[in-house]
């Protein structure tokens, strides 16, 4: 799809070099561009913004997912330099900040698969829970209680917001901290 959208600004060779996948998360598109095409990254960003009507921001991913928080470096190519957006999955709504927290739209079938393992009335500890996507989808699907722990304060703050907008206060509990310490001291 990315290659097709960019046919008008890239040669066939350049188009073949381009990584064919890109992620769209709400109004945000994140693309990875090979070194041979970085001189054209602005043009690529502007073309995508023009062609993909639901997009408001195009970011270039300039690092791999890394560090304790598993985040990535993003450079704005076109549109608003705003990294918080709303994403919908499995009938739930999520606020994510693609610069400050880990988030991947590619795990949606894995999230459904894991949620189906949970039984009604179970208590689940999600030790590396991020903004709460696995936890909230499980709690929407099953009558369970989920403790969503994350060491990244941006993630636990967004998780609290996501619990509230999905009306799961009391069913999902967002806890900030190192999972091993939280489990020993609080759970
Ligand atoms: C690959 S991300 C997965 C997040 C979430 N499960 C998701 O799929 O959206 C791993 C998460 O673990 C968190 N993390 C790393 N070390 C941790 C620790 N010691 N205790 C709690 N969370 C931790 C990071 O901040 C990050 O949000």
């Amino acid at each position: 799809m990315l290659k097709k959208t960019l046919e008008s600004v890239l040669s066939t060779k350049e188009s073949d070099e381009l990584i064919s996948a890109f992620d769209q998360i709400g109004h945000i598109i994140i693309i990875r561009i090979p070194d041979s095409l970085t001189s054209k990254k602005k043009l690529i960003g502007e073309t995508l913004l023009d062609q993909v009507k639901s997009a408001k921001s195009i970011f270039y991913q300039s690092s791999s997912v890394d560090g304790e928080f598993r985040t990535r470096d993003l450079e704005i190519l076109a549109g608003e330099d705003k990294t918080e957006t709303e994403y919908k999955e499995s009938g739930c709504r999520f606020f994510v900040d693609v610069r400050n927290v880990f988030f991947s739209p590619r795990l949606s079938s894995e999230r459904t698969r894991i949620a189906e393992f949970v039984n009604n009335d179970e208590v689940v500890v999600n030790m590396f829970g991020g903004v709460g996507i696995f936890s909230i989808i499980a709690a929407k699907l099953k009558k369970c209680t989920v403790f969503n722990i994350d060491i990244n304060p941006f993630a636990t703050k967004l998780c609290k917001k996501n619990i509230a907008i999905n009306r799961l206060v009391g069913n999902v509990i967002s806890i900030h901290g190192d999972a091993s310490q939280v489990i020993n001291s609080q759970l």
Side-chain angles (χ1 to χ4, degrees):
M1 153 123 186
L2 178 56
K3 283 184 188 169
K4 195 159 172 45
T5 307
L6 294 167
E7 259 169 12
S8 57
V9 293
L10 297 179
S11 68
T12 312
K13 185 171 174 281
E14 288 172 333
S15 180
D16 286 343
E17 279 167 4
L18 198 72
I19 295 165
S20 59
F22 70 100
D23 287 330
Q24 179 160 8
I25 304 157
H27 295 306
I28 293 174
I29 286 179
I30 299 174
I31 49 170
R32 282 165 292 129
I33 300 172
D35 291 345
S36 58
L37 283 177
T38 47
S39 61
K40 291 198 171 179
K41 65 187 178 192
K42 281 268 172 203
L43 181 63
I44 293 170
E46 280 155 15
T47 308
L48 278 173
L49 187 67
D50 184 58
Q51 301 280 318
V52 183
K53 297 302 170 206
S54 55
K56 289 188 182 165
S57 309
I58 314 295
F59 287 97
Y60 161 58
Q61 181 173 325
S62 57
S63 75
S64 53
V65 171
D66 201 13
E68 190 175 41
F69 296 167
R70 309 300 294 152
T71 51
R72 55 193 154 188
D73 294 334
L74 296 174
E75 184 186 314
I76 186 73
L77 295 180
E80 301 169 6
D81 189 359
K82 192 173 159 244
T83 53
E84 191 171 318
T85 189
E86 190 181 338
Y87 169 82
K88 292 187 180 133
E89 185 179 303
S90 298
C92 302
R93 295 166 59 206
F94 299 97
F95 284 100
V96 295
D97 181 334
V98 294
R99 178 173 280 137
N100 292 311
V101 301
F102 173 89
F103 177 72
S104 173
R106 297 180 189 200
L107 296 173
S108 61
S109 44
E110 180 64 359
R111 290 188 273 262
T112 310
R113 193 179 74 85
I114 295 295
E116 279 163 3
F117 277 118
V118 178
N119 295 311
N120 287 326
D121 300 321
E122 268 181 352
V123 177
V124 179
V125 178
N126 184 354
M127 292 192 288
F128 308 96
V131 299
I133 308 215
F134 275 93
S135 306
I136 286 169
I137 291 175
K140 266 283 177 205
L141 202 70
K142 302 285 169 65
K143 208 174 151 303
C144 59
T145 303
V146 190
F147 292 95
N148 190 94
I149 308 168
D150 204 285
I151 203 161
N152 178 351
F154 287 104
T156 41
K157 195 170 166 214
L158 283 169
C159 182
K160 277 189 184 143
K161 192 168 169 178
N162 291 333
I163 292 166
I165 58 169
N166 288 290
R167 299 196 177 106
L168 287 169
V169 175
N171 301 89
V172 182
I173 299 104
S174 173
I175 306 178
H176 173 242
D178 177 277
S180 64
Q181 289 177 13
V182 169
I183 289 167
N184 280 324
S185 64
Q186 294 182 51
L187 302 179

